[in-house]
Amino acid sequence: MQTLVAQTGAAPSLFSPEGVVGIIFLLTVALVVAGAFIAVNSKRLVRAVAGLAVCFTGLAGVYYFLLSPFLAMMQMLIYVGAVSILIAFGIMMATPEEQQSVGMKSRSALAGPLAASVSGLLFAALSLLGLKTEWQVFPREGAGDIKAVGLALLTNYGYVFELISVVLLLAIIGALVLAQKGRN
Amino acid sequence: METSIWRALLYLVGIMAFAGVNAAWLGWCERKGAARIQRRTGPMEAGYQGLLQPLCDGAKLLSKQLLVPQGVDGILFRVAPVLAMIPAITSMVVIPFSENVGARNMELSVLLLFALASIGMIAILLGGWASGNKYAIISGARSVSQNLAYEIPMLVTVITVVMISGSMNLRDIALDQQGGFWHWNIFRLENGHFVTMWISFLIFFICSVAETNRAPFDMAEAESELVAGFMTEYGSMGFGLFMMGEYLNIVVGACLTATLFLGGWDGPFGMTSGIWWFLIKIYILIFTFIWIRWTFPRVQIYRLLNLSWKILIPFSMANLLITAALIKVF
């Protein structure tokens, strides 16, 4: 399996393995974009969360195409399985009457085009940055399996790993403080 | 041979057939089991001992009108039953039925199964919410809080198995347990004296009963409180898909338990290993699922969550520490 970005030259035939892989890649990207559009445009919050879940699923596919299946699985497990579910859960707990329109009242005619142009510019700039920069290529850690990931995390990237655990600790303490406040 | 298109097609058809047959006839098994436990006869009319009943039920469900009530969220209402079914079938791709039977030998298959299981949770949540029905929404919320609570001890116990086998590949985990029941992870006394693994097995099995929303953990469809929970508004094949998804989840749960703890396709005395042992093990486990359902009463949601957060999670954490220590010592 090769990443499509690395391929140059003529487009592969539709019925060759490369062609099928390419179609699947395009489907994944379409999933990300479609999910993002649903998440942004739908007025019903739960639908927006469903769109977000679709977007996350597509992102997992993109990770898989970047040859890191572990990251893809974790994306599914954490973002689809936990984050979007928790968001949906929060919405269901907060507003049982879902039809209340969400902040669409005082919007000038310029808001839409302005937002579109800003995001378009941002997208163009990021794409340009991605394509033009001479990226420093890091060596691949093992075969992308968890053994290699674990070894790398506990040796080369031990400092980062410890920092992440501190962040998690802070999050837990913060949650406890917030919960305590709500109780009084 | 690995890359041949025929192999892929064969496995596709085989897995679909396995899933379909199980989804249909496990319903029959459940009704027969329930009848046996309640001293009834169960379905008797269609075929010998009612064996053709699933076909009749299927024909009836298929010919029924697909009713979408007013006030539901049309798209999500239709998508949810499909979402309940897809992950369960997809999971079977990575399950090693025997040493030579298994569609895909994947390095991270354990992780993939849990990633797919989380999609099943979304199906219940969306189905419940899209129905626009009070009972269905309560059921969705209950089911999510329950699934989140039980996923934690489940994953922690899986980590003990992964540590012992040193792999997240289901096939490798099963290969690691070959050669008789004393090699299986549940009893595992060879290379390491893992005396607490049966606790892991117990926690994992309880969690898999809870994850598949089966009684006594079927808070999501508690019919005496919530009509039929998230399935209240569903009729015809929408309901059918949810039911089939539930049975397939049970099959996947049983396959996972058999592979992680009971040696996969390994024969108990180290001989005649093969796919039949795997099938025997998973059907014993599935029978246990049915047995538990019709024997124990449903518990309250609070006690259910307390069981997970206050008992199963501490125990599984302690078990993880003990197992890690045992690996270090021996």
Side-chain angles (χ1 to χ4, degrees):
Chain A
M1 190 176 59
Q2 284 288 315
T3 46
L4 281 185
V5 185
Q7 281 180 2
T8 49
S13 153
L14 205 59
F15 295 102
S16 64
E18 287 83 21
V20 175
V21 169
I23 290 170
I24 294 174
F25 177 74
L26 289 180
L27 280 179
T28 337
V29 173
L31 216 58
V32 176
V33 175
F37 267 106
I38 296 170
V40 172
N41 284 326
S42 60
K43 283 181 185 151
R44 295 181 172 179
L45 280 175
V46 174
R47 255 192 206 184
V49 174
L52 198 64
V54 170
C55 180
F56 286 150
T57 314
L59 271 181
V62 173
Y63 284 139
Y64 196 81
F65 269 93
L66 291 173
L67 300 183
S68 56
F70 179 67
L71 214 55
M73 302 295 155
M74 285 324 249
Q75 172 82 12
M76 290 293 284
L77 201 61
I78 294 173
Y79 283 91
V80 180
V83 171
S84 45
I85 288 235
L86 279 179
I87 296 174
F89 201 48
I91 292 168
M92 280 165 65
M93 294 282 105
T95 55
E97 312 295 329
E98 41 83 26
Q99 289 298 355
Q100 294 156 0
S101 59
V102 194
M104 301 291 264
K105 287 168 228 160
S106 58
R107 191 177 86 162
S108 81
L110 272 179
L114 208 64
S117 56
V118 166
S119 47
L121 266 177
L122 202 62
F123 178 71
L126 282 177
S127 317
L128 210 65
L129 189 72
L131 289 175
K132 293 286 174 189
T133 315
E134 289 288 320
W135 293 104
Q136 185 189 354
V137 180
F138 281 96
R140 209 167 131 67
E141 299 281 352
D145 54 351
I146 45 165
K147 199 164 190 175
V149 172
L151 278 177
L153 272 183
L154 289 178
T155 53
N156 286 353
Y157 303 101
Y159 185 60
V160 182
F161 187 68
E162 289 300 321
L163 274 185
I164 291 172
S165 61
V166 171
V167 171
L168 280 180
L169 185 69
L170 282 179
I172 292 172
I173 293 173
L176 282 178
V177 169
L178 285 179
Q180 199 65 35
K181 234 178 214 167
R183 196 164 282 184
N184 291 336
Chain B
M1 196 59 204
E2 273 291 311
T3 51
S4 159
I5 186 95
W6 294 111
R7 183 179 182 279
L9 276 181
L10 206 68
Y11 270 113
L12 193 66
V13 172
I15 284 172
M16 296 292 255
F18 182 72
V21 168
N22 267 303
W25 267 274
L26 280 184
W28 176 83
C29 291
E30 171 120 324
R31 289 167 73 177
K32 276 293 186 192
R36 180 93 192 148
I37 288 168
Q38 299 168 344
R39 312 197 82 183
R40 296 185 285 115
T41 51
M44 289 295 270
E45 295 295 327
Y48 173 72
Q49 290 283 321
L51 262 174
L52 298 178
Q53 192 67 43
L55 295 180
C56 305
D57 287 349
K60 178 222 168 198
L61 285 177
L62 280 173
S63 57
K64 247 176 123 174
Q65 185 193 358
L66 189 65
L67 195 69
V68 180
Q70 220 174 17
V72 304
D73 188 322
I75 300 174
L76 293 183
F77 187 79
R78 290 185 179 89
V79 164
V82 182
L83 270 187
M85 187 87 173
I86 291 175
I89 296 184
T90 317
S91 313
M92 293 193 178
V93 170
V94 292
I95 288 169
F97 289 92
S98 92
E99 195 166 356
N100 305 316
V101 185
R104 179 96 153 79
N105 178 18
M106 196 180 179
E107 206 46 57
L108 298 164
S109 36
V110 176
L111 217 51
L112 180 74
L113 282 184
F114 285 102
L116 287 171
S118 60
I119 299 181
M121 194 151 78
I122 291 187
I124 292 181
L125 185 70
L126 289 185
W129 182 83
S131 297
N133 174 322
K134 224 182 282 175
Y135 297 118
I137 291 180
I138 294 174
S139 148
R142 275 185 177 186
S143 141
V144 169
S145 55
Q146 175 187 330
N147 274 301
L148 280 181
Y150 281 88
E151 199 146 279
I152 300 166
M154 197 169 191
L155 286 172
V156 172
T157 49
V158 169
I159 291 174
T160 59
V161 176
V162 170
M163 282 198 313
I164 289 175
S165 299
S167 168
M168 271 204 174
N169 186 342
L170 279 174
R171 191 166 179 275
D172 288 353
I173 290 173
L175 276 176
D176 194 45
Q177 308 173 54
Q178 297 300 300
F181 69 87
W182 57 94
H183 290 273
W184 297 356
N185 275 335
I186 178 174
F187 304 117
R188 196 82 177 200
L189 297 177
E190 292 255 320
N191 352 313
H193 309 286
F194 298 110
V195 284
T196 57
M197 280 313 280
W198 61 274
I199 302 180
S200 270
F201 171 75
L202 216 58
I203 294 174
F204 185 85
F205 192 69
I206 293 173
C207 291
S208 61
V209 175
E211 286 274 306
T212 47
N213 288 321
R214 295 278 297 179
F217 301 105
D218 62 341
M219 299 316 301
E221 41 178 300
E223 65 268 9
S224 54
E225 308 161 27
L226 296 178
V227 193
F230 60 94
M231 294 192 276
T232 307
E233 302 290 347
Y234 283 94
S236 70
M237 218 47 209
F239 166 78
L241 282 179
F242 269 126
M243 286 307 286
M244 285 161 82
E246 183 185 327
Y247 285 120
L248 289 183
N249 278 329
I250 293 170
V251 174
V252 172
C255 289
L256 202 54
T257 317
T259 314
L260 290 180
F261 291 98
L262 302 178
W265 60 84
D266 184 43
F269 300 103
M271 43 189 184
T272 60
S273 300
I275 189 169
W276 43 87
W277 277 113
F278 189 77
L279 291 179
I280 289 171
K281 282 170 193 168
I282 67 170
Y283 285 113
I284 288 176
L285 285 170
I286 290 169
F287 169 72
T288 318
F289 270 95
I290 294 172
W291 190 14
I292 290 174
R293 169 159 184 187
W294 297 102
T295 314
F296 289 100
R298 185 179 297 132
V299 293
Q300 263 191 321
I301 181 86
Y302 312 106
R303 300 187 58 186
L304 190 81
L305 295 179
N306 275 347
L307 173 70
S308 171
W309 290 105
K310 294 187 178 167
I311 298 175
L312 293 184
I313 292 180
F315 266 86
S316 58
M317 291 284 184
N319 193 16
L320 183 69
L321 284 180
I322 293 170
T323 313
L326 284 174
I327 288 176
K328 261 287 170 235
V329 172
F330 292 104

